Amino acid sequence: MKKSSQTSLSLFVQHFGPAEPKHLTRAPGRVNLIGEHTDYNGLPVFPMALQRGVSILFAERDDATVRLANLDRQFPACSFELSDDIEPDAPGAWANYVKAAAQALCRRHGSLQGFDGVVSSDLPVAAGLSSSSALTVAAALSLLHRNDIHMEPLELMELVARGERYVGTEGGGMDQAICLGGRPNTALKIDFEPPPLRLNPTPVPSDWQFVVAHSMVRAEKSGAARDTYNQRGAECRDALRRMTERLPEAAGASRYADLMALVSLKTLVAAADSVLEDPQRQRFRHVITEADRVEKAREAMVAGDIEVFGRLMCESHESLRNDYEVSCKSLDELVDIAMSSGAKGARLTGAGLGGCIVALCAAEQTTALVEALSREFYAPRNVSDPQAEHLIIAEPSGGASVIRL
Ligand code: NG1
């Protein structure tokens, strides 16, 4: 057993007595390479699963109770009863991500039996690396395993994605899909429309390296950041409605994917200038150009063209900063440092408003890039060992699973 599992085990004994936990669920975080704020508009994304994630060490219970302790002391222990109508804790409470999975599975499968578990994580929290969905997926898999229920991966991805809206964020389906569907050495382009979602595995060239760097600004998806996130979604829906009402060639389109299939990108960008006002015009322009960049980025990865992939990442960042307005000073600074230190491309990743950037470099440039970020961004902030927490040399990794110990 690894050191972290041993610590989980002692916390388990401390909270739940000597019963032996026999199962370990592990769900990875993810880094989205390109395709930001597109998923909830039904447009594609291009993430990969990370080597870091959330784990639950658990023992089965013979009743409908779930009890959880967390190795991270900032998250207090919690306990609740499984049902199809579970009362949420206060907004932002970590237990809500577990309750989200539990309620969704109870609604789908009827009454379930619970477990006692200890949660641990080596992902930074509120960093845009999807620690929340990793927890939701880990809870869902633990419950399914406890109750001997098999679900097809695509059905589970959609159920958990809808289920996580329980926490109050009107998210898309990217995080749950990559967390369950991740594969080693592979990024996945994920298409949402028309349903069911489709995973398009794309090998990451072995001479490319993605590096993730935390801005040290927390992007909490509760409170103000959640409101901004949901507001962006509403602005995008409003923009789509107006465009389909006003553009004769878009008549009948009810989704972004239909609109983009019917009308060229160039025509849509020009039409938006006359049909929409800011901020709807800006949000619309980001969403449709970003979806286009996802397709081009996948082609560039297949062709091994690191220059084109990098350029698309930089365009994505500019669009997120200027049109979607979800960057911040520290994210921009990280992107600038990366771009002047050998990166081929860099952009904010995840929802933004803090959290991380992802940079792409040729593998042999990795050390120089990491050193520059350490020296120019982290040292002035008194972080002496950024790789312990804030800097991740990303390894495209496999999806979530449960193992018997
Ligand atoms: P993060 O970065 O984990 O907050 C959120 C959404 C994604 C996606 C991105 C922006 C959830 C669970 N995750 O991710 O679906 O919309 O923002 O691209 O809501």
Side-chain angles (χ1 to χ4, degrees):
M1 225 182 242
K2 283 194 198 150
K3 189 161 170 274
S4 63
S5 315
Q6 280 167 359
T7 328
S8 292
L9 189 56
S10 34
L11 191 66
F12 188 97
V13 173
Q14 187 187 322
H15 272 269
F16 308 121
E20 267 199 39
K22 296 221 172 61
H23 308 274
L24 181 70
T25 307
R26 202 175 142 69
R30 60 99 183 99
V31 57
N32 189 20
L33 305 181
I34 197 158
E36 220 62 82
H37 292 281
T38 45
D39 62 349
Y40 53 84
N41 290 304
L43 292 170
V45 293
F46 197 19
M48 63 189 202
L50 286 173
Q51 69 271 31
R52 296 200 191 189
V54 171
S55 300
I56 305 181
L57 179 70
F58 71 95
E60 305 184 338
R61 290 180 62 93
D62 296 327
D63 59 16
T65 303
V66 171
R67 295 191 298 174
L68 284 170
N70 197 314
L71 219 49
D72 186 337
R73 304 269 159 171
Q74 66 174 307
F75 301 117
C78 66
S79 159
F80 64 93
E81 295 301 305
L82 291 163
S83 86
D84 57 10
D85 189 14
I86 302 173
E87 179 76 20
D89 286 12
W94 75 284
N96 285 343
Y97 293 95
V98 180
K99 291 182 169 185
Q103 179 173 285
L105 288 174
C106 289
R107 287 186 178 182
R108 172 74 177 72
H109 296 288
S111 49
L112 298 176
Q113 295 189 308
F115 60 84
D116 290 335
V118 169
V119 175
S120 59
S121 169
D122 56 1
L123 276 173
V125 176
L129 302 181
S130 194
S131 60
S132 57
S133 295
L135 176 57
T136 307
V137 167
L141 280 188
S142 304
L143 274 172
L144 287 172
H145 193 84
R146 162 67 194 94
N147 291 278
D148 291 323
I149 297 171
H150 172 77
M151 282 184 76
E152 290 304 321
L154 290 185
E155 191 193 354
L156 184 57
M157 288 169 192
E158 286 175 339
L159 180 126
V160 181
R162 275 196 313 278
E164 200 178 314
R165 294 187 179 170
Y166 173 93
V167 305
T169 308
E170 290 157 29
M174 162 166 63
D175 300 350
Q176 302 79 5
I178 186 66
C179 183
L180 284 157
R183 298 188 195 181
N185 307 318
T186 304
L188 294 184
K189 179 165 88 74
I190 304 172
D191 288 296
F192 299 98
E193 298 286 356
L197 59 81
R198 288 171 310 287
L199 308 178
N200 305 284
T202 311
V204 178
S206 57
D207 54 351
W208 292 21
Q209 182 62 59
F210 289 98
V211 174
V212 175
H214 196 340
S215 64
M216 298 171 64
V217 177
R218 281 171 73 109
E220 297 287 3
K221 283 263 285 312
S222 55
R226 183 188 63 192
D227 294 346
T228 305
Y229 183 91
N230 290 343
Q231 185 195 346
R232 294 287 185 277
E235 288 163 350
C236 289
R237 289 191 293 279
D238 192 30
L240 173 67
R241 186 179 47 76
R242 288 195 209 187
M243 290 294 285
T244 51
E245 280 168 8
R246 294 281 301 278
L247 269 189
E249 59 270 55
S254 57
R255 302 177 296 201
Y256 272 94
D258 303 333
L259 188 64
M260 293 191 73
L262 287 170
V263 188
S264 75
L265 182 70
K266 208 168 151 211
T267 306
L268 285 175
V269 171
D273 284 341
S274 49
V275 171
L276 303 173
E277 293 97 49
D278 289 343
Q280 278 81 356
R281 183 179 71 107
Q282 296 164 280
R283 312 302 185 234
F284 181 82
R285 192 166 51 198
H286 166 72
V287 165
I288 59 170
T289 58
E290 184 76 352
D292 183 61
R293 283 187 285 273
V294 171
E295 304 298 343
K296 290 182 173 144
R298 175 154 194 264
E299 284 164 24
M301 188 178 275
V302 170
D305 194 334
I306 194 171
E307 303 289 337
V308 169
F309 198 102
R311 185 170 47 72
L312 292 162
M313 290 173 76
C314 291
E315 288 173 15
S316 169
H317 185 73
E318 246 177 69
S319 180
L320 286 160
R321 186 186 58 206
N322 300 333
D323 277 348
Y324 223 66
E325 299 181 291
V326 287
S327 191
C328 67
K329 218 166 140 260
S330 302
L331 288 168
D332 293 342
E333 188 183 340
L334 278 169
V335 165
D336 289 345
I337 295 171
M339 290 312 295
S340 56
S341 312
K344 300 290 184 184
R347 55 182 289 278
L348 74 85
T349 185
L353 302 168
C356 292
I357 67 148
V358 56
L360 167 64
C361 65
E364 71 262 20
Q365 288 292 318
T366 311
T367 308
L369 177 59
V370 164
E371 277 173 10
L373 290 165
S374 307
R375 191 177 57 244
E376 293 176 39
F377 189 83
Y378 295 108
R381 289 167 176 80
N382 298 318
V383 179
S384 55
D385 181 14
Q387 282 193 68
E389 201 182 343
H390 301 306
L391 259 175
I392 304 172
I393 299 176
E395 292 164 24
S397 301
S401 62
V402 184
I403 52 168
R404 215 187 139 79
L405 300 172

